[in-house]
């Protein structure tokens, strides 16, 4: 079946508005317009080409070190120990960028102190029909309905086995295969955990993507308790087999009501979850409802998520008394945005959409702001 034609970008690259009172970086002035024209404006083509370039960078001897000197290495940020893991920088790459772990040697050169691969599923799957990734450049936002496109957890395990020690913590986000019925979701997650357990430093249980039918129902207390109990049981069996214990975190949606968040947190506390990742993309369209692409289905990320993410993190921190570590993600496009999430209660932060709009210099700025 042929792919549908890709629509022209709603705003030409040269029309991206300059930030008021800010000096734009070389990435914003030179590199970003080129990326935005790739594939006739198809954001997924730019994503794939960027990832291919980073993969090549990681393979060239000496290239990651040269890039680190250019962009500012993780040595410029203070290390933090969270849920028993030492992070050379508290700034990480969010899941979704390097789903299949093909560019893992390159990310530290940009300044990331940890990387989360995936979301990966037990079965390989192509994801949703294209086009499925859209830039809302006026709002520094992205809508995606990728649908967990990945090569599967077995393929990821094989790839990770070739890397050896990466020199930084690796998180692995696991989700439900689209072909797997909800009643069989637990085994689907457990299968991926089993295959990947020896390679991850922590695991993120993604029950909050809006792009897999029915997935968010797994955030309900009963379903979540069953899933997390099974994952912890599997993890315990792997530990008996000689592997060290690995923290299990839950990634939540920003669209949950306060009572629903509190109920979820109670389940996480009861089961012994190590932390929360807040938040995933939103199905709402805060601040972008009049944009011509706002009607596209999928999750919204970027600048419009900043307020929601900060409030969700602050609530989780207050509700748990700071006892449950939080990885904050959503709306980080400036160093001050990261500071806001740290101040709200996050122990670590992750960036993805901000990298699209600001480039590698954003990570350097965040790291330096933490000194």
């Amino acid at each position: 079946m042929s792919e549908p034609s890709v629509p022209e970008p709603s705003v030409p690259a040269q029309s991206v508005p300059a930030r008021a009172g800010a000096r734009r970086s070389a990435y914003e002035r030179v590199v970003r317009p080129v990326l935005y024209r790739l594939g006739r404006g198809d954001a997924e083509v730019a994503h794939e080409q960027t990832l291919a370039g980073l993969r090549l960078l990681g393979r060239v001897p000496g290239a990651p070190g040269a890039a680190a000197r250019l962009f500012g290495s993780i040595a410029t940020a203070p290390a933090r120990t969270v849920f028993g893991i030492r992070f050379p920088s508290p700034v990480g790459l969010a899941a979704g960028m390097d789903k299949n772990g093909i560019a893992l040697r390159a990310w530290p050169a940009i300044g990331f102190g940890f990387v989360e691969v995936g979301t990966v599923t037990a079965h390989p799957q192509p994801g949703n029909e294209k086009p499925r990734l859209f830039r809302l450049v006026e709002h520094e936002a992205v809508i995606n309905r990728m649908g967990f496109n990945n090569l599967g957890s077995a393929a990821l395990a094989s790839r990770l086995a070739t890397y050896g020690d990466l020199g930084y913590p690796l998180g692995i986000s696991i989700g439900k295969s689209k072909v797997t019925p909800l009643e069989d979701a637990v085994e689907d997650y457990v299968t991926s955990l089993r295959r990947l357990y020896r390679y991850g430093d922590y695991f993120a249980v993604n029950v909050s993507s809006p792009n897999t039918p029915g997935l968010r129902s797994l955030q309900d207390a009963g379903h979540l308790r069953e899933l997390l109990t099974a994952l912890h049981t599997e993890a315990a069996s792997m530990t008996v087999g000689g592997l060290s214990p690995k923290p299990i975190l839950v990634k939540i949606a920003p669209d949950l009501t306060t009572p629903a968040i509190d109920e979820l947190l109670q389940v996480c506390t009861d089961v012994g979850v190590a932390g929360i990742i807040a938040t995933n993309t939103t199905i709402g369209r805060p601040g972008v409802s009049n944009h011509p692409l706002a009607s596209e289905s999928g999750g919204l990320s970027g600048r419009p998520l900043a307020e929601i993410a900060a409030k969700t993190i602050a609530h989780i921190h207050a509700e748990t008394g700071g006892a449950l570590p939080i990885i904050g993600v959503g709306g980080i496009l400036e160093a001050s945005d990261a500071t806001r999430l740290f101040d709200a209660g996050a122990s670590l932060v992750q960036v993805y959409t901000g990298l699209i709009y600001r480039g590698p210099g954003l990570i350097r700025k965040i790291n330096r702001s933490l000194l």
Side-chain angles (χ1 to χ4, degrees):
M1 187 174 87
S2 61
E3 293 180 1
S5 60
V6 178
E8 292 293 329
S10 60
V11 178
Q14 64 269 23
S15 298
V16 176
R19 289 177 286 141
R23 180 179 179 182
R24 294 198 301 160
S25 66
Y27 169 85
E28 293 173 273
R29 288 183 285 105
V30 180
V31 178
R32 190 173 71 181
V34 173
L35 290 175
Y36 282 15
R37 292 189 180 96
L38 292 176
R40 295 191 299 122
D42 184 356
E44 189 168 353
V45 173
H47 177 122
E48 292 169 349
Q49 292 296 315
T50 300
L51 206 54
L54 288 165
R55 181 182 191 180
L56 180 62
L57 174 71
R59 289 178 168 180
V60 177
R69 289 188 291 274
L70 176 64
F71 297 125
S73 72
I74 57 178
T76 61
R80 295 189 182 187
T81 298
V82 185
F83 34 81
I85 299 174
R86 182 185 182 276
F87 293 84
S89 159
V91 185
L93 179 70
M97 179 65 195
D98 194 358
K99 292 174 182 287
N100 296 303
I102 70 170
L104 296 183
R105 293 292 183 198
W107 296 116
I110 295 176
F112 287 111
F114 65 105
V115 172
E116 193 172 304
V117 296
T119 295
V120 66
T121 54
H123 299 283
Q125 55 187 44
N128 293 322
E129 190 175 86
K130 298 177 182 180
R132 53 194 181 182
L133 187 63
F134 308 91
R135 305 183 198 96
L136 286 66
V137 292
E138 303 96 323
H139 302 287
E140 297 181 305
V142 166
I143 292 174
N144 95 82
R145 54 170 178 265
M146 303 300 288
F148 289 167
N149 55 306
N150 73 102
L151 299 177
S153 54
L156 179 59
S158 296
R159 185 185 302 279
L160 294 178
T162 68
Y163 275 107
D165 182 17
L166 290 168
Y168 62 82
L170 179 70
I172 302 178
S173 175
I174 56 176
K176 185 188 79 68
S177 305
K178 188 174 183 179
V179 298
T180 300
L182 275 173
E183 56 267 27
D184 298 328
V186 170
E187 183 55 34
D188 201 74
Y189 280 88
V190 168
T191 295
S192 291
L193 182 71
R194 184 184 304 124
R195 290 170 175 169
L196 294 164
Y197 196 78
R198 68 177 61 249
Y199 304 110
D201 291 290
Y202 73 84
F203 288 86
V205 182
N206 189 341
V207 289
S208 52
S209 169
N211 300 317
T212 297
L215 185 78
R216 285 190 166 189
S217 67
L218 296 176
Q219 294 177 116
D220 297 344
H223 288 147
L224 187 63
R225 187 180 299 274
E226 179 187 7
L227 173 59
L228 294 176
T229 298
L231 289 171
H232 277 88
T233 299
E234 180 64 27
S237 71
M238 301 292 283
T239 303
V240 170
L243 298 176
S244 59
K246 309 290 179 71
I248 294 176
L249 288 74
V250 174
K251 187 168 188 175
I252 70 170
D255 308 305
L256 292 173
T257 64
T258 298
I261 292 175
D262 294 346
E263 189 175 41
L264 180 148
L265 292 175
Q266 186 60 58
V267 172
C268 290
T269 301
D270 292 345
V271 177
V273 162
I276 299 291
I277 302 176
T279 66
N280 212 320
T281 57
T282 178
I283 58 174
R285 296 292 182 262
V288 305
S289 58
N290 293 327
H291 193 281
L293 292 175
S295 60
E296 294 288 350
S297 63
L300 177 72
S301 63
R303 174 68 71 194
L305 201 59
E307 184 74 18
I308 303 170
K311 287 182 176 179
T312 303
I313 290 165
H315 176 77
I316 294 170
H317 183 74
E319 185 68 17
T320 62
L324 201 58
I326 304 165
I327 299 180
V329 54
I332 298 178
L333 285 99
E334 309 287 350
S336 58
D337 297 323
T339 299
R340 184 182 185 189
L341 297 192
F342 284 127
D343 289 346
S347 300
L348 307 166
V349 296
Q350 292 177 330
V351 178
Y352 180 178
T353 303
L355 194 62
I356 296 172
Y357 285 103
R358 294 289 188 270
L362 171 63
I363 313 307
R364 177 180 63 238
K365 288 178 180 178
I366 298 172
N367 279 327
R368 288 180 175 174
S369 74
L370 298 173
L371 293 176

